[in-house]
Amino acid sequence: MEDQMNDYILTLENITKEYPGVTALNDVTISFEKGKIHALVGENGAGKSTLIKLLTGAIDKTSGKIFYKGEELKNNSPIKSLDRKIIPVYQELNMIPTLSVYDNIFYGHEMTKGIALDKKYMREKTSELLKQVGLKVSPKTKARELGVGNQQLVEIAKALIKDVDVLILDEPTTSLTDIETENLFGIIRNLKKRGISIIYISHRLDEVLQLSDTITVLRDGEVVDTRPSYAFDEEHLIKSMVGRNLSRSTRNKEKTVKNEKVLELRNVSTDQVKNISFHLLKGEILGIAGLMGSGRTELAEAIFGRDKITSGEIFVNGELKKINSPKDAVDEHMAFITEDRKTLGLMLDLSVLENVTYASLKKVTTNGTIDKDEEKQVVEEILERLNVKYASLDEKVLNLSGGNQQKVVIAKWLLTNASILIFDEPTQGIDVGSKEEIYGILRKLAKEGKSIILVSSENEEIMNITDRVLVMSNGEIASEYKSEALTADTLFKDSARLL
Ligand SMILES: Nc1ncnc2c1ncn2[C@@H]1O[C@H](COP(=O)(O)OP(=O)(O)OP(=O)(O)O)[C@@H](O)[C@H]1O
């Protein structure tokens, strides 16, 4: 062990973490090399976040040992972990929107000169850090004026101020554009050159293969494979993660579209989108593509009555309708599966069962009373199809892993009798096997005559799953394609057309 301590900054030895009814990590041994990028991959619920929470002192292990810089790490806590320069940057960013970049960076450990804040020093130091992460904005810029990609960079700058030794990045590219992702990778590689050790968690396997030196695959809380990245390819990685070969979706050839307009927008504008006209057919999957901030989500929100329509008309099944609230939309048999599961999609304190059945109680109601057994059976079936990991139906959704929470949102809406389903980034944070399962369910719904709007930033998903695609740019529809005619190249060009 002594020898190894020189190369390895951090070692987990036989770590087990048990929650009531769940073994989140089981006898896990992993060594992280100094100055290397080490990726952790695995299905939703495999134990990645649990491992990070142990390293950052948010929770305690049930058994096993952690060694850091050659010494056993005992009595860990989030504060001690920061002092030890083990710093996590989470996907859900923590910036205070109304404060400046430098106020955010120094928040909680402000510099003073005498009794006053040393603003000059903080601004200068922030400038230096922003340079290191390649961000060209003034330290005085308010956080709310930064896009998600730039906020992510500020979070990393914040880690650098503490002289980070181990930087943990949890799904850092989820909300980034391709260009922002490339930029981030350049910065990560620079940090590595400076000797910083990086633990990188992602469901985007192509990125993991491209960026990391070593990959560890977790499955059901156990390490099933650790190798240098060059010894993996994507197929092998997927097989390790899901424990079987997985057939990936290819372009959709099965046509389920009927020539019947279920939804039509004529010249619809809101404060966020301009002059939107399009229709959705029965049995169709219509993709909405575009860059972050192009108005994709805002368009979905307008249709669902969550944003005020300032002009234009919406027709449902050929009839002009006023949709002023989500309730109006639900009355028209629409469902909106939101991207923001924490605030809009779930009630975290309620059970898995209650969350899934919340929007669909009628389905299992006989004479006004809920048939509990039937309810359970229906819910169990859908959760099994989506491969959701949960201890029991009575478990609080709060205790589920992020990806499994997302699957609960999807399950909830799949059980409603909605005929127009709007999905906003349904597979964000979802593992590769379950993604395929979700695609299969979407196709099946279309075949049953439901109509689907799919907002997505994943090109493959947009091209393979949909029948037709609208590309948004700067709040407008820039172009429309039959999916089979769409290429990643055109998608990229059209997304920037109206900028
Ligand atoms: N506080 C908790 N109480 C009970 N079970 C928990 C708790 N936190 C996590 N778990 C369970 O531990 C297991 C591992 O969860 P974890 O969040 O580590 O997964 P993950 O690999 O990060 O998944 P994802 O890719 O979805 O983020 C899951 O089965 C989860 O339900």
Side-chain angles (χ1 to χ4, degrees), residues 473-490:
S473 180
N474 204 13
E476 293 180 58
I477 295 177
S479 53
E480 178 186 328
Y481 292 93
K482 287 243 180 256
S483 302
E484 53 267 29
L486 188 63
T487 62
D489 223 26
T490 11

Side-chain angles (χ1 to χ4, degrees), residues 19 22 24 43-50 203 395 399-403:
Y19 290 110
V22 184
E43 291 183 291
N44 300 127
K48 305 178 293 295
S49 308
T50 304
H203 287 293
E395 186 174 9
N399 290 343
L400 264 51
S401 79

Side-chain angles (χ1 to χ4, degrees), residues 37-56:
I37 304 172
H38 193 136
L40 295 177
V41 301
E43 291 183 291
N44 300 127
K48 305 178 293 295
S49 308
T50 304
L51 198 150
I52 298 312
K53 284 183 197 154
L54 282 173
L55 291 181
T56 55

Side-chain angles (χ1 to χ4, degrees), residues 371-417:
D371 182 333
K372 287 281 175 206
D373 289 341
E374 199 187 335
E375 180 184 61
K376 277 195 171 166
Q377 201 189 330
V378 171
V379 172
E380 272 165 359
E381 263 170 36
I382 186 85
L383 295 180
E384 195 179 322
R385 274 200 72 179
L386 291 172
N387 189 22
V388 182
K389 293 211 168 71
Y390 60 100
S392 90
L393 286 179
D394 300 323
E395 186 174 9
K396 282 187 183 176
V397 161
L398 187 68
N399 290 343
L400 264 51
S401 79
N404 283 308
Q405 289 180 1
Q406 176 72 352
K407 291 180 187 175
V408 168
V409 179
I410 294 175
K412 161 179 154 181
W413 289 107
L414 291 179
L415 283 185
T416 64
N417 56 2

